[in-house]
């Protein structure tokens, strides 16, 4: 049964979609059957795999609002082992459309239950907010991966996200865990970046991922070519960082053995 990881942070510009796209690609490169769920109305994760969502009739919107079986919304990508459920701009209004539906927090959880046996990992790219779409994602997930930018206000707003996770644990998903806090846009030349790394690791201890995602031009360029960094330029620092992250997650989840000290 698939491990479901929600990539969430209500703060924008922290590398959330970049992480979702490239982590999913790296897991697939490790021959893990991977499904990426794009539940962000901006559909950037879908575009990151070259999917034009403009005229799509079967997206995560139809799954949540119209009850479309999620299997019908899955599209193949250019990568083996890698599938995608695309998003659509219509999701902007989904929170209002879903507000009167009974059990609305469980819609994604129920949808994914029908495909969990088909995959090893399901990665959910959440919107940069703590609304109903993110609540659905956290309710459906086994764990949350939290990208944090290496900047002065790195930990600002994290308290709100952690509080939301605590609420979800009490109300809709008692088994929700924190997969890890992932530092992104790291620049080793900047003292501030190194200070943020130290602070996050001191604060979160073993929940801070060892892998750090460096600031990298190829990571920024890849989406405009409709490819994850691994397919755009596999030797780039960004692509290699995400391969390391996938390896760390596979190790943490017991898929590959940990290195002997």
């Amino acid at each position: 049964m698939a491990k479901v990881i929600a990539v969430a942070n209500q703060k924008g510009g922290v590398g959330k979609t970049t992480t979702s796209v490239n982590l999913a690609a790296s897991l697939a490169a490790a021959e893990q059957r991977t499904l990426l769920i794009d539940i962000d109305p901006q559909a950037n994760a879908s575009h990151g795999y070259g999917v034009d969502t403009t005229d799509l009739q079967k997206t995560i919107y139809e799954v949540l609002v119209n009850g479309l079986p999620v299997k019908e919304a899955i599209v193949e990508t250019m990568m083996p082992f890698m599938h995608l459920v695309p998003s659509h701009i219509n999701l902007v209004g989904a929170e209002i459309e879903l507000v009167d539906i009974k059990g609305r927090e469980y819609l994604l959880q129920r949808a994914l239950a029908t495909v969990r046996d088909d995959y090893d990992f399901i990665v959910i790219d959440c919107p940069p907010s703590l609304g109903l779409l993110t609540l659905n994602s956290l309710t459906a997930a086994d764990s949350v991966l939290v990208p944090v930018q290496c900047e002065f206000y790195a930990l600002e707003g994290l308290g709100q996200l952690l509080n939301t996770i605590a609420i979800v644990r009490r109300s809709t998903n008692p088994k929700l865990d924190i997969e890890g806090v992932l530092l992104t846009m790291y620049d080793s030349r900047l003292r501030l970046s190194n200070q943020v790394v130290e602070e996050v690791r001191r604060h979160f201890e073993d929940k801070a991922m060892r892998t750090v995602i460096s600031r990298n031009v190829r990571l920024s360029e890849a989406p405009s070519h409709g490819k994850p960094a691994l397919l755009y330029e596999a030797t780039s620092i960004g692509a290699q960082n995400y391969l390391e992250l996938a390896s760390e997650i596979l190790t943490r989840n017991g898929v590959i053995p940990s290195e002997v000290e």
Side-chain angles (χ1 to χ4, degrees):
M1 181 179 285
K3 171 78 177 278
V4 182
I5 302 175
V7 182
N9 191 333
Q10 79 277 12
K11 190 176 180 187
V14 298
K16 178 183 56 62
T17 297
T18 298
T19 293
S20 300
V21 166
N22 290 289
L23 171 59
S26 298
L27 289 169
E31 298 189 352
Q32 298 295 306
R33 298 168 301 164
T34 305
L35 177 64
L36 175 60
I37 307 285
D38 186 357
I39 202 169
D40 185 342
Q42 297 177 83
N44 289 334
S46 304
H47 301 151
Y49 277 91
V51 176
D52 182 1
T53 63
T54 310
D55 298 319
L56 286 181
Q57 303 300 314
K58 296 180 179 181
T59 69
I60 194 65
Y61 172 82
E62 283 74 26
V63 171
L64 295 176
V65 176
N66 301 330
L68 179 77
V70 72
K71 285 186 178 182
E72 295 187 25
I74 292 173
V75 298
E76 295 185 355
T77 70
M78 69 284 283
M79 290 190 71
F81 299 97
M82 177 70 219
H83 290 166
L84 167 74
V85 175
S87 182
H88 195 278
I89 190 63
N90 287 347
L91 266 183
V92 168
E95 304 222 358
I96 297 173
E97 294 178 71
L98 297 174
V99 74
D100 292 326
I101 296 179
K102 187 177 181 180
R104 59 190 178 274
E105 302 92 347
Y106 298 94
L107 292 170
L108 184 60
Q109 183 189 74
R110 289 198 292 266
L112 294 186
T114 63
V115 296
R116 285 189 68 157
D117 288 339
D118 299 334
Y119 296 95
D120 299 305
F121 285 91
I122 297 175
V123 178
I124 307 173
D125 183 34
C126 299
S129 69
L130 294 178
L132 186 55
L133 295 175
T134 297
L135 178 57
N136 257 271
S137 302
L138 297 180
T139 299
D142 296 310
S143 64
V144 191
L145 181 64
V146 185
V148 174
Q149 187 176 355
C150 290
E151 61 168 28
F152 183 71
Y153 294 111
L155 299 181
E156 186 183 76
L158 265 188
Q160 189 179 356
L161 176 61
L162 295 175
N163 185 51
T164 299
I165 291 171
I167 292 170
V168 169
R169 282 175 176 157
R170 290 196 300 269
S171 58
T172 61
N173 186 2
K175 295 182 179 179
L176 182 64
D177 192 15
I178 295 177
E179 186 74 28
V181 176
L182 174 68
L183 287 152
T184 63
M185 304 181 197
Y186 172 74
D187 188 337
S188 61
R189 298 168 299 177
L190 301 179
R191 186 200 296 181
L192 177 60
S193 281
N194 292 297
Q195 288 175 337
V196 171
V197 170
E198 290 175 11
E199 184 177 0
V200 167
R201 286 183 171 161
R202 183 172 62 250
H203 187 78
F204 290 99
E205 298 178 337
D206 63 330
K207 287 299 182 184
M209 306 299 291
R210 292 193 312 274
T211 305
V212 174
I213 308 301
S214 298
R215 192 178 291 276
N216 180 244
V217 174
R218 296 294 180 263
L219 277 179
S220 304
E221 292 175 348
S224 66
H225 295 267
K227 296 178 180 179
L230 194 57
L231 293 187
Y232 178 59
E233 190 167 320
T235 58
S236 66
I237 292 174
Q240 293 300 311
N241 285 165
Y242 278 108
L243 286 171
E244 291 168 17
L245 175 63
S247 178
E248 184 174 353
I249 286 176
L250 291 172
T251 302
R252 285 187 176 213
N253 286 279
V255 179
I256 57 177
S258 58
E259 294 180 4
V260 178
E261 295 293 338

